[in-house]
């Protein structure tokens, strides 16, 4: 176990670094838990109000039939998960969903399409969705797979705030999870999104059968990008029958999950760190430890793509018990 120099942190301003070494990142992850959490919580307070959590809502605008073979995903056409494929939703329906999400306290609306990459004919309806969400005064995020430079520019011009594109795990473990694309393909799209001036939402999944080193290396890769992703979602795998990873998945030790959140907070001090999928399998106490360790963003609503989510009442009850309020990024009133 390694010790951390805590007193020097107390009054520091956040230091943004893009040159973390393997050894440094691993030493933080494996530090004594109390020191790790204290350090992460201190760094969290340098940039954020620890009693505020940012709320997003996610809608699957095109479900299933995806050409990629991500080993954990119910939407891959390679897996037999009995999830019917659907066409891209009507933008008007999507915008109605965004209105309801705003009324429920979400400040960002995230729209996901199960594609390897969008076809040119898909861009017009997606752009209509982005513009419609923006017209409501919400932030807009989409996840559409790999992008060309031109598609990234079209999305930027439509007013898109965030593009989600996860690295999932470390470069080393990635081929055990996805075979239809490379880590390099992933980094290439992230670069295109950043070059277009769109904020990046990029994180990963715990419980794929990865080692602690893979968690550390995934976060180190993100922290060493030329610019930190503005949003870092950390998912806990919900194994889905019919997916290959459900056969080999190993449950995540909650303490290891909290360590991962703390490492994300320390390596990327000014990024939002999101508890994404898997919260239904987390106790209130585990989520509380995650908030203490620097998580400051969640998805609200009853479902996340194709998996369950705690729902508004349960989240509101936890927020009330903790004295946490929904972060009002947009100057609109949201529940707290
Ligand atoms: S995670 Fe995304 S890209 Fe991978 S199979 Fe599922 S929908 Fe397709």
């Amino acid at each position: 176990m390694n010790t951390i120099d805590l007193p020097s942190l107390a009054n520091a301003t956040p230091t943004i670094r893009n040159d973390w070494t393997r050894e440094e990142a691993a030493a933080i992850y494996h530090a004594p838990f109390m020191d790790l959490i204290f350090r992460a919580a201190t760094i969290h307070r340098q940039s954020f109000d620890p009693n505020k959590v940012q709320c997003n809502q996610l809608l699957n605008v095109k479900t299933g039939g995806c050409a990629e073979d991500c080993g954990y995903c119910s939407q891959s056409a390679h897996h037999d998960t009995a999830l019917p494929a659907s066409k891209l939703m009507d933008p008007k329906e999507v915008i109605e969903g965004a209105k309801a999400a705003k009324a429920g306290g979400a400040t960002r609306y995230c729209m996901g399409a199960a594609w390897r990459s969008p076809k040119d004919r898909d861009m017009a309806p997606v752009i209509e969705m982005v513009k419609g969400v923006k017209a409501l005064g919400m932030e807009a995020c989409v996840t559409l797979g790999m992008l060309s430079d031109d598609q990234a520019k079209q999305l930027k011009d439509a007013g898109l705030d965030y593009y989600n594109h996860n690295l999932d795990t470390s470069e080393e473990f990635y081929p055990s999870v996805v075979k239809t694309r490379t880590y390099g393909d992933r980094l290439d799209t992230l670069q295109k999104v950043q070059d277009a001036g769109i904020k990046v939402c990029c994180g990963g999944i715990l419980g794929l059968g990865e080692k602690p080193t893979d968690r550390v290396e995934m976060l180190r890769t993100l922290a060493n990008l030329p610019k930190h992703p503005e949003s870092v979602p950390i998912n806990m795998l919900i194994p889905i029958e019919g997916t290959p990873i459900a056969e080999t998945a190993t449950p995540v030790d909650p303490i290891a999950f909290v360590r991962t959140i703390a490492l994300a907070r320390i390596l990327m001090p000014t990024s939002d760190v999101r508890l994404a999928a898997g919260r239904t399998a987390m106790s209130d106490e585990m989520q509380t430890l995650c908030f203490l360790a620097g998580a400051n963003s969640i998805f609200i609503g009853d479902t996340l793509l194709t998996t369950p989510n705690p729902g508004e009442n349960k989240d509101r009850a936890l927020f009330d018990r903790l004295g946490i309020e929904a972060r009002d990024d947009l100057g609109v009133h949201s529940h707290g």
Side-chain angles (χ1 to χ4, degrees):
M1 290 289 226
N2 299 274
T3 54
I4 295 170
D5 178 17
L6 299 174
S8 64
L9 282 167
N11 299 311
T13 48
T15 309
I16 304 297
R17 287 181 48 189
N18 309 81
D19 60 354
W20 295 95
T21 65
R22 274 181 99 94
E23 293 71 26
E24 283 175 314
I28 295 168
Y29 180 87
H30 292 290
F33 190 74
M34 301 308 154
D35 290 350
L36 172 65
I37 300 305
F38 184 83
R39 181 179 184 180
T42 305
I43 288 175
H44 188 194
R45 283 167 182 263
Q46 290 165 357
S47 301
F48 295 102
D49 179 342
N51 304 309
K52 295 253 161 70
V53 166
Q54 189 256 340
C55 296
N56 310 270
Q57 191 145 344
L58 178 60
L59 175 72
N60 221 12
V61 298
K62 194 266 166 203
T63 305
C66 183
E68 302 280 22
D69 72 346
C70 310
Y72 51 83
C73 181
S74 62
Q75 302 199 67
S76 168
H78 298 258
H79 315 324
D80 188 11
T81 59
L83 185 78
S86 71
K87 288 201 186 122
L88 185 64
M89 281 173 71
D90 180 341
K92 290 184 188 57
E93 224 182 306
V94 173
I95 294 159
E96 284 307 310
K99 279 185 197 159
K102 185 179 174 184
T107 54
R108 187 179 310 160
Y109 202 56
C110 310
M111 295 162 278
W115 288 324
R116 176 171 165 81
S117 54
K119 299 198 170 50
D120 285 340
R121 66 164 188 264
D122 300 321
M123 292 306 289
V126 168
I127 284 168
E128 195 181 334
M129 292 172 195
V130 170
K131 287 185 171 167
V133 170
K134 294 298 295 174
L136 297 174
M138 300 179 84
E139 290 180 318
C141 176
V142 294
T143 181
L144 313 171
M146 291 185 269
L147 291 183
S148 67
D149 283 316
D150 181 56
Q151 288 169 331
K153 184 175 178 312
Q154 287 182 54
L155 291 169
K156 173 66 184 171
D157 291 346
L160 185 71
D161 298 287
Y162 286 82
Y163 194 80
N164 165 265
H165 201 62
N166 290 337
L167 284 182
D168 294 344
T169 188
S170 69
E171 183 164 16
E172 196 189 339
F173 190 60
Y174 197 72
S176 308
V177 179
V178 185
K179 296 195 170 43
T180 47
R181 58 170 186 255
T182 66
Y183 215 65
D185 292 334
R186 230 48 194 164
L187 292 170
D188 185 52
T189 293
L190 291 176
Q191 180 72 53
K192 289 186 169 111
V193 170
Q194 286 189 327
D195 287 349
I198 300 167
K199 292 178 192 152
V200 163
C201 171
C202 183
I205 309 176
L206 271 57
L208 298 167
E210 77 284 352
K211 298 192 203 68
T213 313
D214 297 308
R215 298 167 190 160
V216 173
E217 284 301 294
M218 174 190 75
L219 292 176
R220 194 174 74 89
T221 303
L222 290 176
N224 286 352
L225 290 175
K227 192 164 179 264
H228 291 173
E230 284 80 358
S231 177
V232 181
I234 307 292
N235 299 275
M236 192 166 80
L237 181 77
I238 299 183
I240 296 165
E241 207 180 322
T243 59
I245 281 192
E247 311 288 314
T248 56
T250 43
V252 183
D253 167 18
I255 298 295
F257 190 92
V258 177
R259 284 185 179 278
T260 308
I261 295 286
L263 180 63
R265 170 51 64 225
I266 292 166
L267 297 189
M268 293 169 276
T270 59
S271 302
D272 282 331
V273 176
R274 181 173 319 125
L275 290 186
R279 285 198 302 121
T280 47
M282 298 179 197
S283 67
D284 285 352
E285 292 76 12
M286 178 178 169
Q287 292 186 62
T288 300
L289 271 180
C290 289
F291 293 138
L292 186 63
N296 64 340
S297 174
I298 59 166
F299 282 116
I300 57 174
D302 295 330
T303 53
L304 273 187
L305 299 180
T306 60
T307 56
N309 199 48
E312 198 187 337
N313 290 344
K314 194 157 189 305
D315 284 334
R316 192 189 294 253
L318 179 58
F319 278 18
D320 285 348
R321 286 166 72 206
L322 299 175
I324 283 179
E325 292 181 358
R327 195 172 84 200
D328 183 358
D329 290 348
L330 306 170
V332 294
H333 179 73
S334 48
H335 79 265

